[in-house]
Each structure stands twice: as C-alpha cells, then as structure tokens.
Amino acid sequence: SAGENTRRHLPRLLQWSQRIDTGDIPQRPARLQHDGRGKTLTDSLPILVPLFFVTALIYSTVGLGGGSTYLALLILFSIPYQTVPKIALVCNLIVVSGGCYFYVKEGHFSLKKILPIVISSIPFAYLGGRIPIQKELFQLLLGFSLLAAAIRMLLAEKAYSASGPIG
C-alpha cells in the first residue's frame, strides 16, 4: 500500500536530502544510521504520524501550523537534526495551506498588508537556513525558544485572567 511504501522509503529520502545539502552523494544509498538507541526513523513513524496528525488538527483549529510542536517531537524522537527543520517546514506548509485557502476564500486577505512581510521574510529565512550550526547549539536554541514561548503564553494567560470579565 501507499502508506507502507512511504514508511519504507521516507528514511532513505531524508538521508539523501541531508547528503545533498552537504554535497556528500554516494554511489548508492547507505543504510540509515541509528540514533544510538538502536531505533531508526522507520521505527518512530508509527508513533510520530498520529502525533503529527493530532498536532495538525489542534493547531489548525486556531489558525496555526504547529511547527514548534513538530520540531520538539522530532528532536524527542532523535531524528537527525539536519532533517528536522525540513520535515517541520513541510508539515507546517501542509497544515497552513488549508487555513490560507479559507482565509482568502472569505475575503480576509490583504496583499497590501502581507507584501512587506513576504518580501522581507523569504530572503532572510533562506539566509538563516544556510547558516550551519552544530547539533547541540540547534537543540539549545530550540529548547530556549520553546521555553520562552511557553513562559510568554503563561504570563499572557495570567494577565488575561486578571483583567476580569468583559462588559
């Protein structure tokens, strides 16, 4: 079936995308390396796929993509850190595309408001993605970013609760 083919070939594709990025393309694909605990990406897929689905479902209901949760899940499952942003980006694009479609369909899209953001974000996202960083620094930055976001959400919730009822 298609699901079995995807599960069987996804680890090899991820490894090849990593090798293409580094310029190290072998004559034939090597076996996917283990994460140190004897598990491969293929072993994690039966758990990651439902977790990604639930993440997409919850985040999409409020108009978000869930990228931070995808990143955290992939790191927790010891997916090679070079491929983590790529997987999270693809998943995020898929989830956000549906929301964008309905946003445009309902007439809420303003090219005048979005154009400055798009013009500045795309080149800087590309440049930022080209900066090579070590695994430990990537995990530290990711952890700090997620912690800062969680603290900010908690503080915002307390401030919202303290303001009392509206009206």
Side-chain angles (χ1 to χ4, degrees), residues 11-33:
R12 203 175 304 150
L13 291 172
L14 294 173
Q15 186 180 32
W16 271 88
S17 77
Q18 178 183 351
R19 289 177 177 262
I20 290 169
D21 282 351
T22 61
D24 176 27
I25 304 173
Q27 292 297 325
R28 61 183 181 83
R31 295 186 183 270
L32 183 67
Q33 295 181 1

Side-chain angles (χ1 to χ4, degrees), residues 47-71:
I47 299 168
L48 278 175
V49 169
L51 288 174
F52 273 37
F53 177 77
V54 169
T55 298
L57 187 65
I58 291 170
Y59 275 80
S60 67
T61 61
V62 293
L64 300 172
S68 58
T69 304
Y70 302 136
L71 290 169

Side-chain angles (χ1 to χ4, degrees), residues 116-146:
I117 296 169
V118 171
I119 289 172
S120 62
S121 67
I122 291 176
F124 286 111
Y126 175 77
L127 291 173
R130 301 301 303 165
I131 298 172
I133 60 173
Q134 297 298 318
K135 179 180 180 178
E136 293 77 20
L137 178 60
F138 175 77
Q139 290 177 333
L140 181 69
L141 291 172
L142 176 62
F144 178 74
S145 300
L146 293 175

Side-chain angles (χ1 to χ4, degrees), residues 62-84:
V62 293
L64 300 172
S68 58
T69 304
Y70 302 136
L71 290 169
L73 287 170
L74 291 165
I75 291 295
L76 287 173
F77 280 85
S78 301
I79 303 304
Y81 85 100
Q82 297 92 340
T83 58
V84 166

